[in-house]
Amino acid sequence: MSQLPADARAVVIGGGVAGCSVAYHLARLGWTDVILVERHDLTEGTTWHSAGFVGQLRSTVTQTRMIMYSAGLYPELRELTGLDPGWHGVGGLRLATTPERMEELLRQAGAAETYGLDLEVLDPRGTHDRLPLLEVGDVRGSLWLPGDGWLDPARLGHALAEGARALGVRIFTGVEVTGIDVHDGRVTAVRLRGEDGEDGEDGEHVVRTETVVIAAGAAAGAVGRMAGADIPIVPIKHQYVVTPASGVPAETPTVRDPDNIVYFREEDGGILVGGYIRSPQVWDTDRPLSEPRTLFTPDMPKFRESWDSAVRRVPSLKPVGAGDDPAAFRKVVHGPEAFTPDGEFLLGETAVAGLWVAAGFCVHGLAAAGGVGKVMAEWIVEGAPEYDVFGMDVRRFGSHARSARWARARALDSYSTYYDIVYPGEERTAARPLRRSPAWVRHEALGATFGEKAGWERVNWYPPAPDAGTAHSAQSAQAAQAAQAVRPRGWAGRVWSPAIREECLATRDAAGLFDQTSFAKLEISGSVADLERLAGNALDRPVGAGISTGLSTRAPARVYPVVYTQLLNERGGIEADVTVTRLAEDRFRLVTGTAFGVHDAALLRRHGLAVADVTSAYACYCLWGPRAYEILALLTDDDLTFGYLRAAEISVGYVPVLAQRVTFVGEFGWELYCPSEYGLTLWDSLMEAGLPHGMRPAGYRALDSLRLEKGYRVWGLDVTPETTPLEAGLGFAVRPERRAALPSPRMALRCLVLDDERDVCQGGEPVRLDGRPVSRVTSGGFGHRVGRSIAYAYLPVEVEPGERVEVGVNGRRVGATIIREPLYDPEGARVRAEPWAAADR
């Protein structure tokens, strides 16, 4: 303890692979005044008992890139430290025993092509030839990934630690964190106590610092609470066994058999067998990891399904026994693993400034440990990581994640379904419903199919229109037949309804009413100059008086400018895609996506702006379509002609509303915001007025189809922190001086129309140009107004509209043409129409 400094540039808490990797990478970026503290010896928390699998192919490009980076880091560590990180590059097999799993493998193979991963799709004979000890009678195929393998977790942790030491990091073991000091919402110090109890009262030592990284694994939540930060970590018991040595070759590949929830690899001439049980158990304790090398009593009945699957797959395991006797195994490892509500890592800065987290590795984190250190260090030192890590950002969760019961229910669901096939659009049901719009009771009464995002219940679609009378029945039958004729093949058609088409066409022909209360809404106070430093577009636009056109009895008192813009990082990457309404000289309302409010608020605060999250204070209903003016005019005496990208305060019936003339579907209309207590009344009023005019309530699946036809981008898919507005085709939303400072684009987001309209992309599909893989689909779907299958992908800037590409869909290569966008209403006439002319479009 006496060696601990009084000050440090950063303090890393946790001596597992995560903490050691973060410390190592901070030092690589020049932060050498870093200390790492661990209450036990290095790797003795959750790292030491990891099974060590390294599978490079993951569900997102960022995860895959992080693991690929990690694999390249190990030779560097060996050269720098002289320590072998325990890498066994034996390759890996991923098996499929059902048609559905084989479809998944083919999709994964297509994704791997875009990542640059080396792989091969094997038939059963090829699978057996690769690993003869496998029983392949029920195997339909497999993926062979020669870059996969496994690591010795403790050796990797020590190699990373030694690498950090070599670069100047000081590491202290036997040191417990007793407190984290916070002043004005920012970390100021860490309080420590060592085993010797030498320093200060009760042996406590204070290290002043403005940067703390919690990398404490299953104990990360408990450490975060010391600073008042909510880190939704759920320790779950996970089990594997190692059989006695039986001459299994050291070069045996790793194997994953997800249909049978089992994985295995060689260890010391035996086989390590693990699995994800269907009835996982939370480790309930107030002091997780207080003892080193924590293990639980073996629970062989819970492990029975995984063991039986392993014996069927590897018949040579039968002599070991039925798996119900722990003594039959060389070791049984039943230890805690840090899981999260959605099974993804928790990385980034918490709500407490300067307090960072790198935890929640969910069993598969060892493979990405090097990449975790890289992105965390870049984030802390440079302000943003190279990769788009929003899917792992701790700020993806809202205040509901403070509930331990919510986090537990979601984490248990995530664990128990870890190896299940997750189809695009498939919804989880755990811990629902939670957040509900004021109109939710009406949606439920209508029989809506709900999805969930950031805890919000959102309508995916309503039931198809019922038959009513003979003539209408014939029309309904024709409509249903037309909808079924374009039902997508394969995965895209699994979670689908003909109602999506009906809602799209009703919005085109009359009007659609969309409940978008879940939109995140932020009230910003500060100077327009401060906000413009972050925004790409010009925001200094005057708030003007309303102008009467004679079409109503009362003009709005004020008209507010609405600006579409992106919030940009220092590299010009898009950190957020938003609309900003200027309500006063120094007051703005920013509207962003449902899941992005916490992220965007933190970004704004880091730039000196005062931000209040008012999402729950306002309902939002979007009335869009050529008859929107007729419908809304029935309910208000106020002038509705204040124009596109303008907002005004009006009354709708008895309800005070801020009406914003913007659209995300490419039709005339408004976003209508009202205080939440009026929300149910406003919805009922709009439904009563709109239904006689052909209006239909519509859901998010229709919204996504409509926005694709107009080329409207979605943050996290089409635009990310790795893409600039010029690359994304959003240069029009950037003011000239900011545009001039952006790097020249090498890639450009292009619209693709697939040759066969029933081949529909979901995102991630490989795109080939002249036979070479060059990109992947960012988002895709079917456009019901234009009758085309649409996809977007980044392609080299020199690739022009009219050129041909191939897209991998449903295991086949499908032709597609690059089309000048938008496909629907390219002149924007419907969006910008005058109210009295909208219905004539």
Side-chain angles (χ1 to χ4, degrees):
M1 286 289 287
S2 58
Q3 300 174 3
L4 279 165
D7 300 271
R9 193 166 192 181
V11 175
V12 179
I13 301 171
V17 291
C20 292
S21 183
V22 171
Y24 171 73
H25 284 86
L26 282 172
R28 274 182 46 158
L29 292 183
W31 279 34
T32 55
D33 183 17
V34 173
I35 68 169
L36 182 149
V37 296
E38 164 60 48
R39 72 193 306 179
H40 308 303
D41 284 333
L42 295 179
T43 77
E44 289 194 339
T46 52
T47 291
W48 72 277
H49 62 69
S50 169
F53 278 66
V54 176
Q56 295 184 80
L57 181 57
R58 294 293 173 180
S59 59
T60 69
V61 64
T62 296
Q63 286 182 351
T64 302
R65 289 164 72 183
M66 288 169 67
I67 295 171
M68 293 173 71
Y69 169 84
S70 299
L73 174 66
Y74 307 139
E76 293 182 28
L77 287 173
R78 188 180 298 112
E79 182 176 342
L80 175 65
T81 68
L83 297 179
D84 182 358
W87 169 241
H88 300 259
V90 294
L93 286 167
R94 187 183 299 249
L95 309 182
T97 63
T98 65
E100 294 79 11
R101 186 70 67 179
M102 196 65 210
E103 288 179 352
E104 181 189 50
L105 287 194
L106 292 175
R107 281 180 59 87
Q108 291 173 330
E113 180 179 289
T114 72
Y115 304 156
L117 277 181
D118 183 18
L119 66 74
E120 184 180 357
V121 179
L122 303 178
D123 61 14
R125 179 186 293 273
T127 304
H128 185 266
D129 290 344
R130 183 64 66 179
L131 186 55
L133 60 79
L134 293 181
E135 165 56 50
V136 297
D138 62 339
V139 172
R140 291 175 173 265
S142 68
L143 289 186
W144 165 245
L145 294 120
D148 282 8
W150 61 278
L151 285 159
D152 182 301
R155 289 166 69 180
L156 173 61
H158 284 285
L160 286 164
E162 191 58 34
R165 285 193 186 101
L167 296 175
V169 174
R170 288 171 288 175
I171 296 177
F172 301 90
T173 58
V175 175
E176 181 181 1
V177 177
T178 58
I180 300 174
D181 293 350
V182 177
H183 182 68
D184 288 339
R186 170 170 285 281
V187 164
T188 58
V190 177
R191 296 181 177 273
L192 307 169
R193 182 169 53 236
E195 294 175 350
D196 54 21
E198 291 179 0
D199 282 35
E201 185 178 349
D202 296 326
E204 190 171 74
H205 181 98
V206 178
V207 179
R208 293 183 295 271
T209 184
E210 292 186 350
T211 302
V212 175
V213 182
I214 300 174
V223 177
R225 286 192 290 274
M226 295 180 183
D230 297 301
I231 301 175
I233 292 288
V234 181
I236 292 180
K237 298 179 179 181
H238 184 74
Q239 195 166 204
Y240 67 81
V241 301
V242 180
T243 68
S246 57
V248 178
E251 63 273 15
T252 298
T254 65
V255 179
R256 290 173 176 81
D257 187 357
D259 289 323
N260 296 288
I261 61 171
V262 66
Y263 59 81
F264 49 91
R265 65 167 174 82
E266 181 273 340
E267 182 167 310
D268 295 331
I271 296 181
L272 180 153
V273 177
Y276 293 88
I277 62 175
R278 297 297 186 184
S279 55
Q281 184 178 358
V282 170
W283 181 28
D284 281 314
T285 178
D286 293 331
R287 302 184 69 240
L289 305 183
S290 59
E291 299 296 327
R293 294 180 168 255
T294 297
L295 288 180
F296 311 114
T297 302
D299 189 344
M300 306 317 292
K302 279 187 176 291
F303 195 68
R304 184 63 183 266
E305 183 179 358
S306 293
W307 176 250
D308 288 348
S309 295
V311 172
R312 287 195 303 271
R313 186 64 59 218
V314 184
S316 62
L317 290 175
K318 288 180 181 178
V320 177
D324 52 4
D325 181 8
F329 299 101
R330 186 148 51 86
K331 62 180 177 181
V332 177
V333 176
H334 191 199
E337 294 285 354
F339 262 76
T340 66
D342 59 3
E344 296 293 349
F345 303 164
L346 290 180
L347 307 179
E349 193 173 21
T350 69
V352 178
L355 184 69
W356 299 74
V357 61
F361 275 17
C362 306
V363 179
H364 61 267
L366 190 81
V372 166
K374 167 186 161 63
V375 299
M376 287 293 296
E378 291 169 346
W379 215 339
I380 293 167
V381 175
E382 300 171 356
E386 178 185 358
Y387 308 149
D388 169 24
V389 294
F390 178 75
M392 309 173 195
D393 192 330
V394 66
R395 295 168 299 183
R396 67 188 182 272
F397 296 116
S399 58
H400 57 283
R402 295 173 185 162
S403 167
R405 293 188 181 188
W406 178 87
R408 177 181 299 187
R410 294 298 287 246
L412 288 171
D413 178 68
S414 176
Y415 181 103
S416 65
T417 59
Y418 186 82
Y419 268 161
D420 287 2
I421 299 171
V422 179
Y423 294 106
E426 191 172 76
E427 300 287 347
R428 298 297 192 194
T429 59
R432 293 177 57 190
L434 182 60
R435 306 173 77 182
R436 290 179 269 188
S437 156
W440 180 84
V441 292
R442 299 294 189 255
H443 307 325
E444 186 185 43
L446 289 171
T449 296
F450 290 96
E452 179 268 340
K453 194 166 189 177
W456 282 98
E457 294 294 315
R458 311 193 312 173
V459 175
N460 280 341
W461 60 74
Y462 295 90
D467 294 345
T470 304
H472 188 235
S473 294
Q475 291 180 346
S476 294
Q478 290 176 354
Q481 186 176 9
Q484 289 290 343
V486 295
R487 181 174 191 141
R489 295 189 184 93
W491 280 29
R494 283 183 172 271
V495 184
W496 181 89
S497 170
I500 300 167
R501 174 182 173 84
E502 296 176 12
E503 292 167 11
C504 289
L505 299 186
T507 304
R508 178 196 67 185
D509 299 335
L513 182 61
F514 299 79
D515 185 347
Q516 298 200 221
T517 297
S518 67
F519 274 1
K521 314 165 195 78
L522 306 177
E523 295 277 1
I524 304 170
S525 300
S527 73
V528 69
D530 287 339
L531 188 52
E532 275 194 343
R533 275 192 285 273
L534 187 57
N537 213 340
L539 302 176
D540 193 4
R541 306 184 186 192
V543 176
I547 301 173
S548 177
T549 62
L551 294 179
S552 70
T553 59
R554 186 172 63 196
R558 282 190 147 192
V559 174
Y560 308 107
V562 180
V563 178
Y564 171 58
T565 187
Q566 291 76 46
L567 306 184
L568 306 179
N569 59 36
E570 292 183 0
R571 298 192 299 266
I574 300 171
E575 292 285 347
D577 188 63
V578 302
T579 58
V580 178
T581 302
R582 190 176 194 180
L583 301 175
E585 288 298 308
D586 59 354
R587 189 165 66 89
F588 308 84
R589 181 178 296 172
L590 180 148
V591 178
T592 186
T594 297
F596 309 144
V598 177
H599 169 275
D600 293 2
L603 179 67
L604 292 159
R605 291 182 184 119
R606 284 204 307 272
H607 285 74
L609 294 154
V611 181
D613 189 332
V614 295
T615 300
S616 300
Y618 297 96
C620 173
Y621 308 130
C622 300
L623 178 63
W624 290 316
R627 297 196 176 277
Y629 176 76
E630 295 176 50
I631 295 166
L632 196 58
L634 292 171
L635 299 171
T636 184
D637 298 322
D638 292 307
D639 195 330
L640 299 175
T641 63
F642 42 84
Y644 183 57
L645 291 180
R646 297 288 186 272
E649 292 172 349
I650 64 173
S651 295
V652 178
Y654 306 133
V655 178
V657 167
L658 178 69
Q660 297 197 161
R661 178 83 185 277
V662 294
T663 180
F664 198 56
V665 301
E667 301 288 354
F668 175 94
W670 299 269
E671 294 174 357
L672 304 171
Y673 296 86
C674 71
S676 289
E677 66 268 27
Y678 297 100
L680 185 57
T681 300
L682 179 59
W683 178 267
D684 287 345
S685 298
L686 292 168
M687 287 288 286
E688 183 179 0
L691 290 178
H693 290 265
M695 184 197 81
R696 282 190 61 156
Y700 271 81
R701 293 293 291 274
L703 185 80
D704 194 51
S705 170
L706 296 164
R707 71 93 188 168
L708 276 168
E709 295 170 306
K710 283 296 291 182
Y712 294 150
R713 281 41 170 160
V714 171
W715 191 81
L717 298 177
D718 307 306
V719 294
T720 74
E722 297 184 42
T723 57
T724 70
L726 297 184
E727 293 170 327
L730 298 174
F732 67 89
V734 184
R735 60 190 186 275
E737 65 273 18
R738 192 69 188 269
R739 190 183 310 127
L742 293 173
S744 297
R746 291 178 296 175
M747 304 288 282
L749 189 62
R750 299 297 192 194
C751 178
L752 315 178
V753 170
L754 279 65
D755 292 348
D756 190 328
E757 63 185 25
R758 294 190 63 198
D759 288 318
V760 175
C761 295
Q762 298 287 290
E765 293 84 357
V767 179
R768 286 175 166 253
L769 177 66
D770 298 327
R772 297 177 296 105
V774 294
S775 186
R776 58 187 168 275
V777 170
T778 59
S779 64
F782 188 81
H784 293 280
R785 290 178 299 190
V786 299
R788 312 294 289 276
S789 175
I790 305 166
Y792 279 84
Y794 282 92
L795 297 171
V797 291
E798 59 271 17
V799 179
E800 296 289 341
E803 295 192 42
R804 299 278 293 169
V805 296
E806 288 181 323
V807 184
V809 186
N810 299 321
R812 299 180 297 113
R813 294 182 187 174
V814 178
T817 303
I818 302 169
I819 301 294
R820 196 175 303 279
E821 59 171 327
L823 288 172
Y824 181 72
D825 187 27
E827 304 301 322
R830 296 175 73 91
V831 172
R832 299 174 180 275
E834 297 294 341
W836 53 85
D840 298 329
R841 295 281 174 186

